[in-house]
């Protein structure tokens, strides 16, 4: 059986490639777990400064593997709960690790796949990309993925995406702030890797602290968020003094 996740280093950039191209990289249990574990390993590896997440073949990721869910019945409560937990942990992990993750998206990024793209810190997409949440059209809910979506685009747009289930092309996703850059399809991975290399070249301590603070303040009330920024400011000044002496 071929590996569901390919792992390759380009200098200080670790490239994780979801590798189920014949299933448009649908997230089965094995791929979800492998991605979760690989993010943790990359975060702990001091040779790695930044991560790129991409998909093999014509799609980034077509979401949860619906064939796996079709095999489950209402009686499989433990399996259903364990899978929901793993998916939730994977999406949370992007914000917990100190190293920045750049998504490189071509083709479909749907449901859980769109959620993974939005969980990345920065996203480069090719003009072939389609970002969307088609769950409603299947009579199900864009569930775990809703948390990042509603934090990253306006509420009206977020509700439109989850209630109509129509995908957004790369240019619209860019205008909505779902992604950072659009690249030519044949340049996608190189551009994402170059962006990741720039991030990897920054101070690791400053990048980790920036990422931690970013995710903390995004969800806080203003007063609390400013206090968290003040604390990070003091901590970084102390760090820089120690680093110089
Ligand atoms: N889970 C499992 N398999 C999937 C999948 C998914 N989410 N999405 C695509 N695949 C599989 C297809 O079953 C097909 O496999 P097969 O060749 O063995 O039959 C293969 O990937 C290619 O998909 P196909 O539908 O033939 O490609 P397409 O270009 O005609 O259509 C999509 C692409 C993305 C529009 C279509 O595959 C789709 O709607 N997928 C489901 C997307 C979705 O609802 N995601 C949220 C799940 S909760």
């Amino acid at each position: 059986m071929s590996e569901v996740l390919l792992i390759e280093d380009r200098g200080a950039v670790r490239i994780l490639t979801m590798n189920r191209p014949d299933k448009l990289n649908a997230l089965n249990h094995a791929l979800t777990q492998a991605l979760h574990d690989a993010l943790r390993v990359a975060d702990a590896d001091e040779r790695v400064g930044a991560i790129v997440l991409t998909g093999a073949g014509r799609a980034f990721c077509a979401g949860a593997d619906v064939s796996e869910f079709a095999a489950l019945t209402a009686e499989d409560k433990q399996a259903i709960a364990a899978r929901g937990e793993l998916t939730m942990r994977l999406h949370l992990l992007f914000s917990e690790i100190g190293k920045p993750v750049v998504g490189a998206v071509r083709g479909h990024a749907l449901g859980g796949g769109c959620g993974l793209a939005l969980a990345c810190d920065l996203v480069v997409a090719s003009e072939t990309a389609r970002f969307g949440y088609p769950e409603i059209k299947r009579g199900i809910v864009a569930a775990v993925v809703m948390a990042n979506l509603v934090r990253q685009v306006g509420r009206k747009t977020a509700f439109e995406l989850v209630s109509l289930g129509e995908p957004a092309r790369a240019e619209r996703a860019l205008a909505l702030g779902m992604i950072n850059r659009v690249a030519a399809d044949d340049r996608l991975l190189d551009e994402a890797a170059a962006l990741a290399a720039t991030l990897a070249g920054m101070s690791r301590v400053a990048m980790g602290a920036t990422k931690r603070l970013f995710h903390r303040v995004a969800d806080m009330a203003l007063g609390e968020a400013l206090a968290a920024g003040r604390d990070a400011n003091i901590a970084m000044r102390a760090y820089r003094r120690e680093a110089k002496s």
Side-chain angles (χ1 to χ4, degrees), residues 16-35:
L16 305 178
T17 305
M18 295 178 278
N19 188 36
R20 301 185 72 213
D22 52 332
K23 298 292 176 192
L24 307 186
N25 303 314
L27 291 156
N28 62 3
H29 187 92
L31 177 55
T32 310
Q33 185 73 60
L35 192 48

Side-chain angles (χ1 to χ4, degrees), residues 11 13 32 44 60 62 86 99 148-149 212 214 219 229 236 240:
V13 175
T32 310
F60 179 69
L86 176 61
K99 293 178 183 165
N148 263 325
L149 178 66
R212 263 193 308 282
F214 179 85
D219 299 325
M236 285 307 290
R240 285 176 65 85

Side-chain angles (χ1 to χ4, degrees), residues 22-24 26 58 62-67 108 110 134-135 138 140:
D22 52 332
K23 298 292 176 192
L24 307 186
R58 66 186 168 100
D65 187 324
V66 290
S67 68
H108 299 288
L110 299 176
E135 286 90 338
R138 297 179 161 267
I140 55 177

Side-chain angles (χ1 to χ4, degrees), residues 156-212:
K156 288 284 179 287
T157 300
F159 195 77
E160 180 188 325
L161 289 169
V162 294
S163 63
L164 294 180
E166 289 302 323
R169 289 167 180 265
E171 287 300 339
R172 182 167 186 232
L174 183 66
L176 293 175
M178 295 170 82
I179 65 173
N180 300 86
R181 292 179 190 179
V182 180
D185 197 60
D186 60 352
R187 295 274 315 136
L188 176 69
L189 191 57
D190 285 346
E191 292 213 8
L195 186 57
T198 303
L199 297 171
M202 305 291 177
S203 148
R204 299 272 167 92
V205 174
M207 183 61 72
T210 297
K211 223 188 126 165
R212 263 193 308 282

Side-chain angles (χ1 to χ4, degrees), residues 86-99:
L86 176 61
T87 299
M88 187 274 280
R89 284 186 181 285
L90 171 60
H91 284 259
L92 188 59
L93 190 56
F94 284 79
S95 67
E96 290 176 337
I97 61 175
K99 293 178 183 165

